[in-house]
Amino acid sequence: MVPAFFLALSLLGSPAAAAPPDAPPRIPFTTRVNKVILPVSLGGSRPLQIILDSGMAYDGILIYNSALADSIHLQNPFRAQVGGAGSGPPQTALVADSMAFSAGEVPFENQRVILLEGDAMKGMTSDGVCGHSILGHHAVEINYDRMEIVLHPSGLPRPDETWTELPLTFKENRIPWITVTTGMGGADVETLSCYIDLASSETVEFLTREGMKFTLPDSLESVFLGRGLSGDIHGWRGRVAWVELGGHRLEGLQVAFAPAAVRSKQPGADAVVGNGLLCRFNCIYDLGAGRLFVKPNRFQATMF
């Protein structure tokens, strides 16, 4: 888990056929624990493995490992405080503006690079996160059947009828919000206001607080859920009867429950929709047009 955060300034073979000149840019990806991992080149560093994170709501890339500083060659860096999920203090980072990186073969110019100076994210199997640079400027098709991201122009025509269109909303930042319905096990059905965190491996993280809309299941296991930029996150796991996204009902899901004050920096959220749920669909995120298109993929029936 790399929860949403804020920045406070203080093989060999025959060659592949060439793509048509007007073909949309494509980025190959891999997955690890439900997360989308992008191959990224930055400065003179070794190849980086970067998580696609909808919680990073500005252009740029955040790198966890301070030992990469010399090879990245930060340009005119300054210090800043970076905070996020967790109950601890923010982390100190070096920040450089107007740099460039490539995801696959796709270049991204004029990007902010943030390099953590401490060891808060030590032990992570990825190197960092990137979000708005990709998601904020395109209609981003994430195809888990082909393990490929396709960057379409924002506002693209509606795909064929096999896709379901869902509205996205935004509050005071660029993080996308969506509505889901759920049944915890009894007769009650709840409609929940959620934001999307593609860096979360969980299906859904229900946020516990006084006055929450849902009732906790009877059987819960206390677990370590992950690490945010402001510390560790502990909560519970259990199963719910079903979760429905745009008319697609997934039954018997394992979900997480976490204290809202520790897990989320987004006021008013009932839950966080993670990539453990969304990776069961091929998705097109068109944030500029406020739309998400989903279509069940080959993984939907195998990941419960």
Side-chain angles (χ1 to χ4, degrees), residues 10 20 23-24 47 56 107 114 121 210 221 283 304:
S10 148
M56 187 165 181
I114 306 164
M121 307 301 285
E210 185 178 352
E221 176 189 6
C283 300
F304 292 89

Side-chain angles (χ1 to χ4, degrees), residues 66 73 76 98 108 157 185 189 198 204 212-213 216 254 293 297:
S66 61
H73 306 303
N76 301 315
S98 301
F108 295 85
V189 176
L198 294 182
V204 181
M212 60 192 182
K213 296 178 181 177
L216 296 176
Q254 178 175 268
F293 298 100
N297 61 33

Side-chain angles (χ1 to χ4, degrees), residues 114-133:
I114 306 164
L115 179 69
L116 296 183
E117 290 193 292
D119 59 358
M121 307 301 285
K122 185 177 181 179
M124 298 291 288
T125 57
S126 59
D127 294 304
V129 295
C130 177
H132 193 263
S133 299

Side-chain angles (χ1 to χ4, degrees), residues 62-293:
L62 180 142
I63 305 298
Y64 304 145
N65 187 355
S66 61
L68 294 171
D70 290 343
S71 59
I72 290 175
H73 306 303
L74 293 176
Q75 300 168 7
N76 301 315
F78 58 90
R79 280 188 169 80
Q81 297 295 306
V82 181
S87 58
Q91 302 297 314
T92 302
L94 291 174
V95 181
D97 289 326
S98 301
M99 292 189 64
F101 68 86
S102 295
E105 299 298 323
V106 180
F108 295 85
E109 306 288 339
N110 298 315
Q111 302 291 307
R112 171 170 284 177
V113 177
I114 306 164
L115 179 69
L116 296 183
E117 290 193 292
D119 59 358
M121 307 301 285
K122 185 177 181 179
M124 298 291 288
T125 57
S126 59
D127 294 304
V129 295
C130 177
H132 193 263
S133 299
I134 296 172
L135 293 164
H137 302 280
H138 314 271
V140 180
E141 178 182 352
I142 305 181
N143 191 306
Y144 294 91
D145 291 319
R146 299 199 306 262
M147 302 298 284
E148 178 182 65
I149 290 174
V150 184
L151 303 180
H152 304 279
S154 182
L156 83 168
R158 192 190 188 287
D160 62 54
E161 66 278 358
T162 63
W163 294 82
T164 302
E165 180 178 348
L166 306 173
L168 295 174
T169 59
F170 304 86
K171 296 193 176 182
E172 65 277 3
N173 52 36
R174 296 164 170 170
I175 296 174
W177 290 64
I178 199 167
T179 298
V180 303
T181 57
T182 185
M184 290 288 176
D188 291 342
V189 176
E190 296 294 345
T191 299
L192 304 179
S193 180
C194 315
Y195 64 92
I196 295 174
D197 184 0
L198 294 182
S200 170
S201 298
E202 305 291 343
T203 53
V204 181
E205 297 176 70
F206 294 92
L207 300 173
T208 61
R209 60 161 66 88
E210 185 178 352
M212 60 192 182
K213 296 178 181 177
F214 51 86
T215 301
L216 296 176
D218 292 333
S219 180
L220 290 175
E221 176 189 6
S222 180
V223 292
F224 167 70
L225 291 174
R227 182 181 302 162
L229 290 174
S230 294
D232 292 345
I233 303 166
H234 297 267
W236 308 266
R237 284 206 182 97
R239 291 194 179 271
V240 296
W242 53 268
V243 170
E244 188 169 297
L245 177 67
H248 299 280
R249 180 170 292 197
L250 305 176
E251 299 182 344
L253 281 183
Q254 178 175 268
V255 300
F257 298 86
V262 175
R263 170 60 180 97
S264 176
K265 305 297 184 183
Q266 306 303 316
D270 299 311
V272 182
V273 175
N275 209 45
L277 177 67
L278 291 162
C279 70
R280 301 160 192 257
F281 302 87
N282 292 334
C283 300
I284 303 176
Y285 296 88
D286 193 352
L287 272 60
R291 304 179 301 177
L292 168 62
F293 298 100

